[in-house]
Amino acid sequence: MKVWIPHEAGLALLGELPPEVTVEVAEQPDKLPSEVADVRFWVPPFLATSDSAALLRELPDLEVVQLLSAGADAWVGRIPDGVTLCDARGVHDPSTAEWVVTAILAKLRAFPAFAAAQARREWAYDGVAPTDELSGKRVLIVGAGSIGTAVRDRLAPFDVSFTLVARTARPEQGVHGVDELPRLLPEADVVVLLVPLTDQTRGLVDGRFLAAMRDNALLVNAARGPVVRTEDLVAELATGRISAALDVTDPEPLPADHPLWGMPNVLITPHVAGSVRGLLPRAYRLVGDQVRRFAAGEPLINSVVDGY
């Protein structure tokens, strides 16, 4: 059987595979390495485009689509019957958790203001200090999966308290349900979004959600842009009552004339939380394990069900 992967570097990272497995590099849909017959396991490019998804119709023997992303929203509903969709749950935990911690600290400690002052060659102590701090903050993590847990673990040494929220409550684990957000939001100093994009989470953060946040709270979006209603976010941020750190936006890329760019209480990065040098080694360890499972007829991990 044939396995298609999108990176030449992945060939050396998969580990030992069964002799009946042939791995080929398919970097782009218009640069296929061989005939499509017998391609049973396909790894699309990271952050694949709609052109990549269109290749699904051209692979008659396909049985598994293994994503390199933790989110599967671009693929849910497009996978043919009989094909298993798997995400890269766990692969992005370290990098995304690092981004969240960095964004929180940068925003609370006013690093964007200091960076701007550095560009002006200005010693900005009087204009910026004293800054806020992370110590003692109450952090609400909306999305209690593996990345949410990784964020909690990395923030724990900073003397903060946590509340975790999931689709449904897990009282035995101290996890609250999303229906409790109206009660929990006013108590949080920092709200971190880590939910997948589904029909249920699209527009979750709307005007009422934002209005329920306490004064001077920080919203951190490391999930997907459409989880937040952008027009409602812009309106709330314009009051200066809350601030935001965004790795994802809606639309994305964010147009140059979008009002979010010019808001002093917003920190924006261009969807880079998972784009780190350690991505490919972690990702292809997962891919190699999945290929070995598939070849041996064993159950795959990280199967996507109901968008998760």
Side-chain angles (χ1 to χ4, degrees):
M1 71 171 188
K2 288 195 289 191
V3 174
W4 278 1
I5 63 174
H7 300 97
E8 187 78 27
L11 294 172
L13 299 171
L14 290 167
E16 187 175 354
L17 299 176
E20 68 270 20
V21 174
T22 299
V23 182
E24 298 175 339
V25 179
E27 294 183 2
Q28 299 295 337
D30 58 347
K31 297 180 181 179
L32 302 181
S34 66
E35 297 297 322
V36 297
D38 202 34
V39 177
R40 302 185 183 276
F41 193 110
W42 178 41
V43 182
F46 182 49
L47 301 179
T49 64
S50 57
D51 289 343
S52 295
L55 186 58
L56 287 168
R57 299 189 296 269
E58 309 300 325
L59 301 174
D61 301 317
L62 187 64
E63 296 184 51
V64 178
V65 174
Q66 173 63 61
L67 303 180
L68 298 180
S69 60
D73 49 280
W75 299 86
V76 172
R78 307 180 72 172
I79 302 298
D81 291 341
V83 176
T84 300
L85 176 65
C86 300
D87 63 26
R89 190 178 312 126
V91 166
H92 300 277
D93 293 3
S95 56
T96 303
E98 284 182 2
W99 182 91
V100 170
V101 174
T102 301
I104 292 172
L105 286 170
K107 200 72 186 70
L108 293 181
R109 297 306 306 268
F111 271 38
F114 289 124
Q118 180 180 348
R120 299 191 301 268
R121 298 173 179 258
E122 174 186 340
W123 192 260
Y125 184 95
D126 290 340
V128 181
T131 71
D132 203 345
E133 61 182 334
L134 180 53
S135 179
K137 289 291 190 286
R138 293 163 290 185
V139 180
L140 176 62
I141 300 176
V142 185
S146 61
I147 296 178
T149 300
V151 169
R152 180 198 62 193
D153 293 346
R154 284 159 177 78
L155 284 175
F158 288 91
D159 189 28
V160 301
S161 60
F162 300 97
T163 304
L164 270 69
V165 171
R167 178 172 43 169
T168 55
R170 303 196 293 267
E172 71 283 356
Q173 300 175 22
V175 176
H176 299 262
V178 71
D179 59 308
E180 299 179 67
L181 281 173
R183 176 178 64 82
L184 298 172
L185 284 167
E187 302 173 358
D189 300 299
V190 180
V191 179
V192 181
L193 305 176
L194 292 167
V195 293
L197 179 61
T198 67
D199 290 341
Q200 290 71 41
T201 62
R202 186 179 296 273
L204 171 68
V205 181
D206 57 10
R208 287 198 297 178
F209 183 110
L210 296 164
M213 292 175 61
R214 65 187 295 122
D215 289 353
N216 300 313
L218 171 64
L219 179 72
V220 181
N221 191 1
R224 288 290 187 267
V227 170
V228 178
R229 292 187 184 276
T230 303
E231 62 274 19
D232 292 350
L233 178 62
V234 169
E236 192 67 45
L237 288 168
T239 70
R241 196 182 65 83
I242 66 170
S243 58
L246 311 172
D247 187 47
V248 291
T249 59
D250 182 26
E252 192 174 300
L254 196 64
D257 61 351
H258 199 281
L260 280 173
W261 286 117
M263 291 185 157
N265 49 345
V266 181
L267 171 65
I268 299 173
T269 59
H271 204 152
V272 295
S275 298
V276 297
R277 294 187 181 94
L279 168 62
L280 291 188
R282 285 195 296 271
Y284 279 103
R285 279 196 295 271
L286 170 64
V287 173
D289 181 51
Q290 291 282 71
V291 171
R292 286 184 286 274
R293 288 172 178 267
F294 179 66
E298 298 174 357
L300 300 175
I301 63 171
N302 290 7
S303 295
V304 176
V305 179
D306 295 333
Y308 288 79

